[in-house]
Amino acid sequence: MNWKARVLTLDGLMPSLDDANRLVWGTLADVPEDAELCFLGLDEGKACFAAVPPRGDATPRMANPQLWSLMSTLQPDDLAIYGGARSLADWHARHRFCAQCGGDTKLAKGGWQRNCTACEASHFPRTDPVTIMLVEHEGRLMLGRGLGWPEGRFSALAGFVEPGESIEEGVAREVLEEAGVRVRDVTYVASQPWPFPSQLMIGCHSHADSDELTIDETEMAEVEFFTCEQVGAALEGNGPFVAPPPHAIAHHLLQWWMER
Amino acid sequence: MNWKARVLTLDGLMPSLDDANRLVWGTLADVPEDAELCFLGLDEGKACFAAVPPRGDATPRMANPQLWSLMSTLQPDDLAIYGGARSLADWHARHRFCAQCGGDTKLAKGGWQRNCTACEASHFPRTDPVTIMLVEHEGRLMLGRGLGWPEGRFSALAGFVEPGESIEEGVAREVLEEAGVRVRDVTYVASQPWPFPSQLMIGCHSHADSDELTIDETEMAEVEFFTCEQVGAALEGNGPFVAPPPHAIAHHLLQWWMER
């Protein structure tokens, strides 16, 4: 038996990086005595923890330019550890009270649960299923630019799966809402966890019946169809649009489409 | 403009059925003035609502024998409406307080959101992704009986996708935890919403490297391999086990496997 442990150094939800851009870890002595600790797993014979920030935000923080830059900087193994830790710590910080009765909740089971101290309700970290879809029409691919995105950046349309929907129904509704076209033959391609804040990205492919679009201007700045050649050039960094970065499932979906 | 509306009659979360086993609907006059109403959609020219029960349970109610019986009784269209309404009303009833600050929350956007009256945090109905998997080894199919299930009832193994996992990783972890074998070549088959309380069932197929099982006895009463003939007989109601009922995705997965 030993007590070898390390605690991920976080400032709020942001990590500290050393000169080699690796995650910085402290010890149990570095965290306040009353800090709540999430158990992340064992690594190199040490138990790894992350401390829950004292207070959460009213809304979860989605991916922003600072986070995109961080994702490009971190090594893949560090990114996986940080992503999981961030997602869990963020959820705990935003769930210090019981949604059922308003009482105080306490971290339980190493961070995979919170229990209410008043009504004894148990609460579990949530993962929101999100569909992200390639939409094809006569060999061209529909991609969109969301409101507020940088000029020129295009990616696959995406949206939360709503209660009562299958994955396939979610894809069809989302494309109809955002681009005004009906799709058929929805197939699953790949999935990826996305910890900003805590989504399960479900990548699909579908065929559109038409390329006449009616764009939802409250969500999308532009939606366009691109040829194979244009998508290929964009993935190589010299196309008519800026493709999603390599750590996003959208990048993988575009590559998958090109290889077909 | 008119005010044609109807409100689903619920006793807690259970529906009322008429003599023909159809859902019973009331009017806006039938609900208390302070009842929170979820907008379910338009049907036959009327706006359909469900009222949120005054108080939720400390834990969500999973499917139980009473609900399985109800599912067999309801017509498919009524089951879809009731499932969506129940899932939404249950979530609202269990989220009357803000997890971020403990303040009171109020239903917003027709029932697709709750807002905190104190810190202004927004909360959204949750949908939990769950993998449910066929596991095949040399032409035989692994099925299990959960603790507390009736003697003889077998179905596909299943489990929540955890934060930080892809669908494929979730399948592999779940089978390793519950049956002690490694799987490979995980493929997606189909998905289904499951409103008890609010899950997205993601059906997959995989291959096991071995049929030597180490069963997790805290979750599973039995895990066994069955031949094609045994599964076919069970689906026809005269096999060595009781197959899952037609409205469960597990039934569909078994049929899909038989047709391959």
Side-chain angles (χ1 to χ4, degrees):
Chain A
M1 187 82 85
N2 69 56
W3 286 268
K4 286 182 182 164
R6 56 188 201 177
V7 183
L8 186 62
T9 303
L10 292 175
D11 176 13
L13 293 172
M14 293 305 287
S16 297
L17 303 188
D18 65 16
D19 292 344
N21 283 326
R22 302 299 311 224
L23 292 174
V24 174
W25 296 82
T27 71
L28 288 171
D30 297 326
V31 292
E33 279 192 23
D34 60 351
E36 292 187 323
L37 294 174
C38 299
F39 176 57
L40 304 176
L42 293 167
D43 189 40
E44 295 174 357
K46 291 185 180 175
C48 300
F49 295 92
V52 178
R55 189 167 169 76
D57 293 329
T59 49
R61 276 182 264 177
M62 314 298 265
N64 55 32
Q66 187 190 12
L67 281 170
W68 282 106
S69 157
L70 177 68
M71 283 186 261
S72 307
T73 305
L74 284 174
Q75 308 284 324
D77 55 343
D78 273 0
L79 181 56
I81 291 169
Y82 170 65
R86 177 192 168 98
S87 183
L88 210 52
D90 183 25
W91 180 82
H92 279 283
R94 289 185 295 105
H95 290 77
R96 292 198 179 277
F97 297 89
C98 176
Q100 165 66 18
C101 80
D104 289 332
T105 59
K106 293 270 171 261
L107 182 146
K109 302 210 173 169
W112 293 88
Q113 190 171 325
R114 294 189 78 82
N115 293 330
C116 179
T117 57
C119 78
E120 301 189 344
S122 296
H123 302 279
F124 300 91
R126 70 187 268 171
T127 298
D128 294 313
V130 171
T131 53
I132 178 163
M133 58 295 270
L134 299 177
V135 182
E136 188 172 335
H137 180 74
E138 295 179 357
R140 292 186 308 150
L141 199 62
M142 181 200 296
L143 299 173
R145 183 167 74 86
L147 282 186
W149 292 17
E151 196 69 32
R153 177 175 288 285
F154 278 76
S155 187
L157 303 188
F160 290 100
V161 178
E162 290 185 353
E165 280 181 341
S166 66
I167 291 172
E168 293 76 8
E169 289 166 342
V171 168
R173 177 191 47 75
E174 197 66 32
V175 179
L176 188 61
E177 282 180 5
E178 296 194 353
V181 291
R182 296 193 182 275
V183 298
R184 56 190 157 72
D185 303 333
V186 178
T187 53
Y188 169 85
V189 178
S191 66
Q192 182 193 44
W194 188 248
F196 311 104
S198 65
Q199 291 149 20
L200 174 66
M201 305 300 295
I202 304 172
C204 295
H205 176 268
S206 65
H207 285 276
D209 285 339
S210 156
D211 60 359
E212 286 180 35
L213 306 181
T214 309
I215 296 166
D216 175 2
E217 293 175 353
T218 66
E219 289 219 23
M220 304 305 296
E222 300 173 81
V223 181
E224 286 183 29
F225 281 91
F226 295 96
T227 65
C228 217
E229 291 69 32
Q230 289 175 315
V231 173
L235 283 171
E236 286 171 10
N238 54 8
F241 65 91
V242 180
H247 34 266
I249 190 173
H251 187 96
H252 173 79
L253 292 174
L254 292 185
Q255 280 193 317
W256 172 88
W257 187 70
M258 291 300 297
E259 286 162 15
R260 271 175 87 223
Chain B
M1 187 83 86
N2 70 58
W3 286 266
K4 286 184 182 164
R6 56 188 202 177
V7 182
L8 186 62
T9 304
L10 292 175
D11 177 12
L13 293 172
M14 293 304 287
S16 297
L17 302 187
D18 65 17
D19 292 344
N21 283 326
R22 301 299 309 225
L23 293 174
V24 175
W25 296 82
T27 69
L28 287 172
D30 296 326
V31 292
E33 279 193 22
D34 61 351
E36 292 187 322
L37 294 174
C38 300
F39 176 57
L40 304 175
L42 293 168
D43 190 39
E44 294 173 0
K46 291 185 181 175
C48 300
F49 295 92
V52 178
R55 193 171 164 73
D57 293 329
T59 50
R61 277 182 263 177
M62 312 299 264
N64 54 33
Q66 187 190 12
L67 281 170
W68 283 106
S69 157
L70 177 68
M71 282 185 264
S72 308
T73 305
L74 285 174
Q75 308 284 324
D77 56 343
D78 273 0
L79 181 55
I81 291 169
Y82 169 67
R86 176 193 168 97
S87 185
L88 210 53
D90 184 24
W91 180 82
H92 280 283
R94 291 185 293 106
H95 290 77
R96 293 198 177 277
F97 296 89
C98 175
Q100 166 65 17
C101 80
D104 290 333
T105 61
K106 294 269 172 262
L107 182 145
K109 300 210 173 172
W112 294 87
Q113 189 171 328
R114 292 189 79 81
N115 293 331
C116 178
T117 56
C119 78
E120 301 190 342
S122 296
H123 302 279
F124 300 91
R126 69 188 269 170
T127 299
D128 295 313
V130 171
T131 54
I132 179 164
M133 59 293 272
L134 300 177
V135 183
E136 187 171 338
H137 181 74
E138 294 179 356
R140 293 187 307 151
L141 199 62
M142 181 200 294
L143 298 173
R145 182 167 75 84
L147 283 185
W149 291 17
E151 197 69 32
R153 177 175 289 283
F154 278 77
S155 187
L157 303 188
F160 290 100
V161 178
E162 291 185 354
E165 279 181 342
S166 67
I167 290 172
E168 294 75 10
E169 289 166 341
V171 168
R173 177 190 49 74
E174 197 65 32
V175 179
L176 187 62
E177 281 179 7
E178 295 193 355
V181 291
R182 294 191 183 278
V183 298
R184 56 189 158 72
D185 303 333
V186 178
T187 52
Y188 170 84
V189 178
S191 66
Q192 183 193 44
W194 188 248
F196 311 104
S198 66
Q199 291 147 23
L200 174 66
M201 306 299 296
I202 304 172
C204 294
H205 176 268
S206 65
H207 286 276
D209 285 340
S210 157
D211 60 358
E212 287 180 33
L213 305 181
T214 307
I215 296 167
D216 175 1
E217 293 176 352
T218 65
E219 288 219 25
M220 305 304 297
E222 299 173 81
V223 182
E224 286 182 31
F225 281 91
F226 296 96
T227 65
C228 216
E229 292 70 31
Q230 289 175 316
V231 172
L235 283 172
E236 285 172 11
N238 54 7
F241 65 92
V242 179
H247 34 266
I249 190 174
H251 187 95
H252 173 78
L253 291 175
L254 293 184
Q255 281 191 317
W256 172 88
W257 188 70
M258 292 300 296
E259 286 163 15
R260 272 174 88 218

